[in-house]
Amino acid sequence: MKWRNLIFLVMLSMFTLMSCKDKEREVEGIEPEEQAEAFEEDLEEVRRDDGIVVQVESDPELSTFATGLNAWNLGEEMNDEQGPFTIFAPDNNAYSTLYRDQGQEVLQVNNDAIVQYHIVKGEMTAEQLRQEVQNANGTYKLKTLAGEELTVRLKGDKLVLEGATGDKANITSSSTSEQGVIHIIDKVLLPSDLEVEITAEK
């Protein structure tokens, strides 16, 4: 009888220990997912609540453009002004290509003009741009804050921008904020009135 009681106690202890381990694994499996989900929800809320400039700054892919945006306090002016705005933001790879092809002097001397050339007053989503291009028989022009125009066309399903020098950029992704729309593009577009000579790539 004593042996039976001893065996029962040992088995009961093992069962209790295994149950505790299972509960630990269950908690460890659920909590990180819940935390990640809560973090994503908080992040989306921040993105919705903040201005369009803050949203640009929060995207690591746009860090070079964000630096240029604030270099001449243009970002502060945009946050102070009531939007909406549409920003065509070149990604970091686009700036690397610009440095390689034109040298850093182009950006250093003309930063303000280049940044403003990528910003349009008013909200234009990708769908709205497609519709405007179709309504304009294939070519739609946007006046930028720099005073010069960007030309928008469709190449298949893709939206393509053409700058004053003939360079072309594809819109690779888009997002919205309370202040407008951000379109990420794969090339830095240059206005015609720059202080250093440029070489356009057709």
Side-chain angles (χ1 to χ4, degrees):
M1 180 66 87
K2 289 182 180 180
W3 282 107
R4 289 181 181 178
N5 290 340
L6 181 61
I7 292 171
F8 174 78
L9 289 173
V10 170
M11 292 179 65
L12 180 62
S13 299
M14 291 178 62
F15 177 79
T16 303
L17 181 62
M18 291 174 63
S19 296
C20 291
K21 290 293 184 182
D22 287 340
K23 286 185 179 296
E24 286 177 7
R25 283 195 293 269
E26 183 178 352
V27 169
E28 289 174 359
I30 293 175
E31 284 187 350
E33 293 175 4
E34 290 177 347
Q35 290 175 357
E37 184 177 348
F39 175 78
E40 287 297 328
E41 290 176 356
D42 291 342
L43 187 59
E44 285 301 318
E45 185 175 350
V46 168
R47 285 173 176 165
R48 286 194 299 269
D49 292 342
D50 284 333
I52 195 167
V53 175
V54 175
Q55 188 165 334
V56 170
E57 292 172 334
S58 70
D59 190 336
E61 191 178 359
L62 304 177
S63 60
T64 308
F65 181 76
T67 300
L69 191 64
N70 288 302
W72 297 93
N73 295 321
L74 184 61
E76 285 185 22
E77 293 176 17
M78 288 181 64
N79 273 336
D80 290 340
E81 273 190 59
Q82 284 201 340
F85 299 96
T86 298
I87 296 180
F88 299 99
D91 60 23
N92 290 341
N93 288 334
Y95 275 97
S96 296
T97 301
L98 178 68
Y99 293 151
R100 185 191 66 219
D101 295 342
Q102 307 292 347
Q104 294 193 15
E105 186 182 5
V106 172
L107 192 62
Q108 291 169 352
V109 176
N110 302 279
N111 173 71
D112 198 23
I114 291 174
V115 170
Q116 291 187 61
Y117 191 51
H118 291 79
I119 302 172
V120 174
K121 193 75 186 267
E123 184 177 75
M124 295 294 293
T125 65
E127 187 56 41
Q128 288 171 323
L129 286 172
R130 287 191 181 90
Q131 190 60 54
E132 293 292 348
V133 170
Q134 292 170 357
N135 292 343
N137 296 319
T139 301
Y140 181 61
K141 294 187 179 295
L142 294 166
K143 187 175 182 180
T144 68
L145 295 187
E148 293 193 58
E149 292 181 335
L150 290 172
T151 301
V152 189
R153 295 187 177 90
L154 277 170
K155 186 176 181 181
D157 291 333
K158 293 183 179 179
L159 285 162
V160 180
L161 303 179
E162 183 175 337
T165 63
D167 286 335
K168 295 180 177 64
N170 299 300
I171 294 178
T172 59
S173 64
S174 304
S175 61
T176 59
S177 77
E178 288 189 350
Q179 269 192 309
V181 183
I182 301 167
H183 301 288
I184 298 180
I185 59 176
D186 59 4
K187 192 171 185 65
V188 180
L189 299 173
L190 302 175
S192 59
D193 188 18
L194 294 182
E195 294 183 29
V196 296
E197 185 178 351
I198 59 173
T199 304
E201 288 188 5
K202 302 291 184 180

